[in-house]
Amino acid sequence: MLPPKSYSPAVPTHIQSPMSVQSPPVHRRSVTPGSATSTPRQQQRQLDTSAKKARARSPAIETAQSSPKPRDKFEKEEEPTLVTYVPKTRNVETYGGIDLKYFDKFEIKPVIPHLVELGAIDIQALIMSLRSGMKMEVTNALNVLTMLIVQQPSLPLHQCEDLLDLLLDILEKDFFGYSTRFQKKPLPSPQAESNYAELFDMSLDEMKSLIPCLEESTSELWLSLRERCLCIFHLLRNLSFMSDNMTYLIKHQRFLRTLAQIASTSRDNHQEAWFVGIRRMDTLDHRKTILVIFSNIAMLLILDEFTSSSLIHLVHDFLIHGPETYYSTLAIDLWAKMAVHYENRKVLSQMVNKSNIFTLLLAVWQELSAVIRRDFFSVEGRVVFALNTSQLATLEMSMMGLYNIMVITEEVELRQKIIEQDRSVPMMLLRLCISLAESGNQHFSVVTKRGIEVVRGLICGGDGMKRRMTMQETEKNESPKMCLIHGVLDMACLEEKLMVATVKTSTDPEIIRELSDFVALIDNEIAVGTL
């Protein structure tokens, strides 16, 4: 079968192919302004030339073209098209061209000049800058001192003449409006405006809310008064950590009184120099810094009545209203060091007769005993032996704080009030001392000896450090009065624990001897009382 033939119409002979058709002649012209072979400058020149020629030849045509054309009545107005804009969102991962994730991977240090970049620092020049009082000079001097103290391990104040006094001058003028070096005023009675917990809550409220009014900005004052006070406090705190400056600071009475006055005096809105009724967070920061400074120098400190009263209020505030915090530990440390010196004990003993001071000491006694019961006894009532270095230091300081309260309250009536505050404290301390002595660990010897002295001083009187006197000593010296209260000591339990501790070979013999003397003394006193 043959395939069908495709239909192909016959092409007429009079139609020629496109290739054979002759195109009309094209006139040759010069390069036009729109040609691709001319440069941009040539195109602009050619356009300007052609425009001038057109205006010169046909001005009428230009006028006709410039006149508006009549609109055709049948021409419809174009309706405006509605364009819907869709907002586009993107995740912001850069700020000013800097990748924000870069900060998580690498530690970018702030642009702070190092000690080498500051060159040769002249302390005398910095002192003269502070003395001048010019804002730019004071700001520069404080900045250089801050970098110097941070990056240099030591800066002896006894070699920097008048530096501490100038810093105190600025601090007192900002807080009180005058300098105590040139203007003497009576010291007010210590009275804190708010405790630690209240200041902490108000600081949180300030950070969460808008502050209505502040001091003038930094750009207008070179360094705001608020920032200047914080800077000076940080300088004094860092200087107190240096061992070369401790002796110098404790002998500088103006330094001690100024810090005590700032820590304890309530500020009046009508008398303060820069405070505007807000910034409680700064008040809290100042009190924390003062606590750290006194904790560093308290071991060598000689107290007077005003400083002692201010420090007792400060210790009571952080210990009672800020329990289980770092600053409560500093408060325990400060109180344990305050009464180490014999002169300080005499000053504190004279202040105990004041009702408000003794009330504060009772609260401190109760909190210290609560710290020992909470941190060094398990839930079942067993003594915790696995203590690290910081826990052992806290236990020693807490026991020393209880001993200080017992020593400075020499009167029997006051010690009876201490015992009545919590009757379980003496027996708890004895259980702790016996259990730690049975472990045989020599690191617990300080705690055990001091704990037995606390209980013996409360019950038997005296400072608790004397053992039982012999007959000859009793005839020569009058024995201290006993302070026996019914239900304070469980003698049967105490004798049983003493017997068990005597059997164990690991028990410290010194503790066994002290406990034996104490139990025998109590038994004799009870026997004399029954007769």
Side-chain angles (χ1 to χ4, degrees), residues 192-225:
E193 58 175 343
S194 301
N195 55 43
Y196 174 79
E198 294 174 351
L199 288 175
F200 187 82
D201 293 337
M202 287 187 287
S203 299
L204 292 179
D205 294 338
E206 285 180 356
M207 289 187 287
K208 296 176 183 178
S209 60
L210 296 176
I211 301 177
C213 56
L214 290 174
E215 65 273 5
E216 297 181 3
S217 62
T218 305
S219 59
E220 297 175 358
L221 289 177
W222 285 95
L223 189 65
S224 64
L225 300 181

Side-chain angles (χ1 to χ4, degrees), residues 325-373:
T325 60
Y326 168 73
Y327 295 98
S328 65
T329 306
L330 286 181
I332 296 174
D333 180 71
L334 175 58
W335 175 245
K337 295 176 181 177
M338 279 177 56
V340 171
H341 202 282
Y342 181 72
E343 296 296 330
N344 294 344
R345 290 185 184 179
K346 291 172 59 177
V347 174
L348 294 173
S349 298
Q350 296 174 359
M351 297 176 59
V352 167
N353 296 326
K354 298 180 180 180
S355 59
N356 59 337
I357 298 297
F358 183 71
T359 303
L360 297 177
L361 292 179
L362 281 179
V364 172
W365 170 275
Q366 188 173 4
E367 183 60 29
L368 289 176
S369 59
V371 169
I372 295 176
R373 184 181 287 109

Side-chain angles (χ1 to χ4, degrees), residues 229-403:
C229 291
L230 291 175
C231 180
I232 293 176
F233 267 114
H234 292 168
L235 287 175
L236 298 178
R237 182 193 61 186
N238 294 338
L239 289 172
S240 67
F241 280 101
M242 302 176 183
S243 57
D244 299 338
N245 296 327
M246 290 186 180
T247 306
Y248 183 85
L249 292 177
I250 62 174
K251 293 181 180 180
H252 202 288
Q253 294 298 323
R254 183 189 171 206
F255 169 75
L256 301 177
R257 285 178 171 250
T258 301
L259 294 185
Q261 186 175 359
I262 293 175
S264 60
T265 306
S266 61
R267 294 176 297 188
D268 188 2
N269 292 334
H270 301 286
Q271 297 179 358
E272 56 199 15
W274 62 272
F275 196 71
V276 291
I278 52 176
R279 295 282 183 171
R280 303 293 179 180
M281 61 184 75
D282 298 334
T283 305
L284 183 60
D285 188 74
H286 297 158
R287 293 171 65 83
K288 290 178 180 178
T289 305
I290 293 172
L291 179 66
V292 173
I293 293 173
F294 277 109
S295 177
N296 292 334
I297 64 176
M299 186 62 70
L300 305 175
L301 187 61
I302 304 297
L303 301 174
D304 56 3
E305 185 174 354
F306 176 76
T307 307
S308 301
S309 179
S310 301
L311 292 183
I312 290 175
H313 283 82
L314 191 65
V315 169
H316 174 269
D317 183 17
F318 281 97
L319 190 58
I320 303 302
H321 301 287
E324 301 184 26
T325 60
Y326 168 73
Y327 295 98
S328 65
T329 306
L330 286 181
I332 296 174
D333 180 71
L334 175 58
W335 175 245
K337 295 176 181 177
M338 279 177 56
V340 171
H341 202 282
Y342 181 72
E343 296 296 330
N344 294 344
R345 290 185 184 179
K346 291 172 59 177
V347 174
L348 294 173
S349 298
Q350 296 174 359
M351 297 176 59
V352 167
N353 296 326
K354 298 180 180 180
S355 59
N356 59 337
I357 298 297
F358 183 71
T359 303
L360 297 177
L361 292 179
L362 281 179
V364 172
W365 170 275
Q366 188 173 4
E367 183 60 29
L368 289 176
S369 59
V371 169
I372 295 176
R373 184 181 287 109
R374 180 181 62 246
D375 296 341
F376 305 103
F377 282 88
S378 62
V379 181
E380 296 81 8
R382 298 178 181 178
V383 179
V384 178
F385 297 98
L387 303 178
N388 53 31
T389 306
S390 60
Q391 290 175 334
L392 181 58
T394 303
L395 178 58
E396 292 178 352
M397 292 298 175
S398 301
M399 195 68 72
M400 189 65 194
L402 295 177
Y403 179 79

Side-chain angles (χ1 to χ4, degrees), residues 422-434:
D422 191 352
R423 288 172 169 247
S424 63
V425 172
M427 198 64 194
M428 178 198 67
L429 296 179
L430 290 177
R431 288 181 55 229
L432 176 67
C433 295
I434 294 173

